[in-house]
Amino acid sequence: MQGKRRQLLLAGAGIAAWALGGAARAQVGGKPETVRIGYQKSSTLMILLKSRGTLEKALAPQGVSVSWHEFTSGLPLLEALNVGGLDLSADVADAVPPFALAAGAKLTYYAIETPSPTAQAIVVPRDSPLTSIAQLKGHRVAFAKGAGAHYLLLEALARNGLSMRDIEPAYLTPADARAAFERGNVAAWVIWDPFLAAAQRQAQARVLADGTGLASYRRFYLAASDFARRRADVLATVFDALAQAGEWVKANPAAAAEWHAPLIGLDAATVEIANRRRSYRLQAVDAPALDEQQRIADAFHAQQIIPRKVVVSASAVWRRQA
């Protein structure tokens, strides 16, 4: 599993680096430098800035233009940063950076969203007899291997004196897990928003436990380390724009959902539920966030999902210049 995942990661990164390699890296002959930003459909704040042209306007006085590059998942996005195909990434889930670091990526953390622990949960069918995590023993549980949901499950089991050996893991993508859940082929499903909100609204899923006290579910923003060292001024501008976008989303949840829903193929009511659970509050990277990154890395290393020990503290962290 890990070998295949690594091969796909490198293949995706190679394609990204080839496709993006022609983008301008420095101001030459009076032309503006281009900052290359990678994002996913789930990158609410960065997509909001993209749709409004906010960064183009904010960075123009700094002699910087913007090019946008969409990715289908977080791992190829971060590897593209590492190999020089991108300069900045939009948010990725908390389980993603440890995999990139394990693969040797040299990245700089430049921002986080504050915790949103209720944005992922372990759910069961509405009429399930299961009422506690301890009762998962011996049952089949669906989740995406190596995702934040996997870490949440590990923590929940450990707090109840259980381990992965006590359940039957079903490693499934969100779409396949949803189908298995609705057919009754799994007893429980560990999933994150907006899939969680959709399962609650459409499949009457019941929350057995969310991430409260178990897994914080922070979103991380990263940069190519050479770009972070060279253009700290650009990072400051992007950070401030993202913070303002987060404030708008939280102050206007219905309007934000109406705008974002068509982009991710869900109805606005479902997206609004998911948006209300996610903090969207941007802040500088702090010690608790990095400590949890280390715990995630250690947990996955112990499960032999990450092949080698990761030392998160060895990674660079951007700090605003005084």
Side-chain angles (χ1 to χ4, degrees):
M1 171 67 185
Q2 179 61 25
K4 292 181 180 178
R5 189 171 191 176
R6 173 66 177 149
Q7 290 171 7
L8 290 172
L9 174 59
L10 290 174
I15 293 170
W18 174 82
L20 303 178
R25 293 301 303 276
Q27 189 165 332
V28 178
K31 294 183 179 180
E33 177 176 5
T34 299
V35 57
R36 300 160 300 169
I37 301 176
Y39 67 96
Q40 305 169 74
K41 282 186 170 63
S42 60
S43 303
T44 307
L45 302 187
M46 198 67 88
I47 294 176
L48 181 60
L49 299 181
K50 178 178 183 289
S51 70
R52 293 177 170 180
T54 303
L55 290 180
E56 286 81 353
K57 296 171 186 174
L59 291 171
Q62 295 170 244
V64 176
S65 64
V66 182
S67 65
W68 299 93
H69 308 275
E70 184 175 345
F71 286 73
T72 57
S73 62
L75 280 169
L77 194 165
L78 293 191
E79 188 64 20
L81 279 180
N82 184 49
V83 300
L86 293 173
D87 301 305
L88 298 180
S89 83
D91 57 292
V92 296
D94 51 9
V96 177
F99 280 96
L101 297 178
K106 303 297 184 184
L107 304 174
T108 296
Y109 291 87
Y110 73 91
I112 54 172
E113 290 176 22
T114 56
S116 303
T118 61
Q120 58 180 352
I122 302 169
V123 298
V124 295
R126 180 177 56 182
D127 57 356
S128 170
L130 302 180
T131 58
S132 70
I133 297 298
Q135 291 174 331
L136 290 177
K137 186 173 183 178
H139 288 284
R140 192 165 187 246
V141 181
F143 57 95
K145 189 173 186 178
H150 190 166
Y151 177 69
L152 169 58
L153 179 60
L154 288 171
E155 288 295 297
L157 291 173
R159 297 289 179 88
N160 286 271
L162 303 176
S163 72
M164 294 295 288
R165 294 187 297 272
D166 294 306
I167 65 167
E168 182 184 347
Y171 303 125
L172 298 172
T173 66
D176 290 340
R178 169 76 179 263
F181 184 81
E182 293 184 342
R183 294 188 188 119
N185 293 336
V186 295
W189 178 21
V190 195
I191 191 58
W192 59 89
D193 275 326
F195 305 109
L196 171 59
Q200 289 177 289
R201 292 193 70 243
Q202 300 161 7
Q204 289 75 55
R206 171 168 55 85
V207 172
L208 196 62
D210 60 31
T212 303
L214 297 170
S216 298
Y217 192 69
R218 295 172 174 90
R219 306 287 296 187
F220 288 81
Y221 296 75
L222 296 101
S225 288
D226 62 341
F227 183 84
R229 287 190 295 267
R230 187 168 53 84
R231 294 306 305 255
D233 59 328
V234 172
L235 284 181
T237 299
V238 173
F239 183 100
D240 291 342
L242 287 167
Q244 291 169 13
E247 291 171 2
W248 182 84
V249 170
K250 293 307 287 186
N252 302 275
E258 288 287 347
W259 158 77
H260 199 204
L263 301 180
I264 55 178
L266 291 172
D267 62 279
T270 296
V271 175
E272 184 174 353
I273 291 171
N275 281 350
R276 289 184 182 278
R277 285 194 285 238
R278 185 164 154 188
S279 76
Y280 287 119
R281 186 164 69 86
L282 210 74
Q283 70 171 46
V285 180
D286 59 9
L290 294 178
D291 288 345
E292 187 167 47
Q293 284 281 275
Q294 188 65 60
R295 291 195 297 274
I296 292 171
D298 291 344
F300 286 161
H301 179 57
Q303 293 290 312
Q304 299 182 326
I305 302 169
I306 287 180
R308 66 182 183 88
K309 177 75 174 178
V310 171
V311 180
V312 174
S313 61
S315 300
V317 176
W318 173 76
R319 303 293 184 196
R320 186 187 295 272
Q321 297 294 320

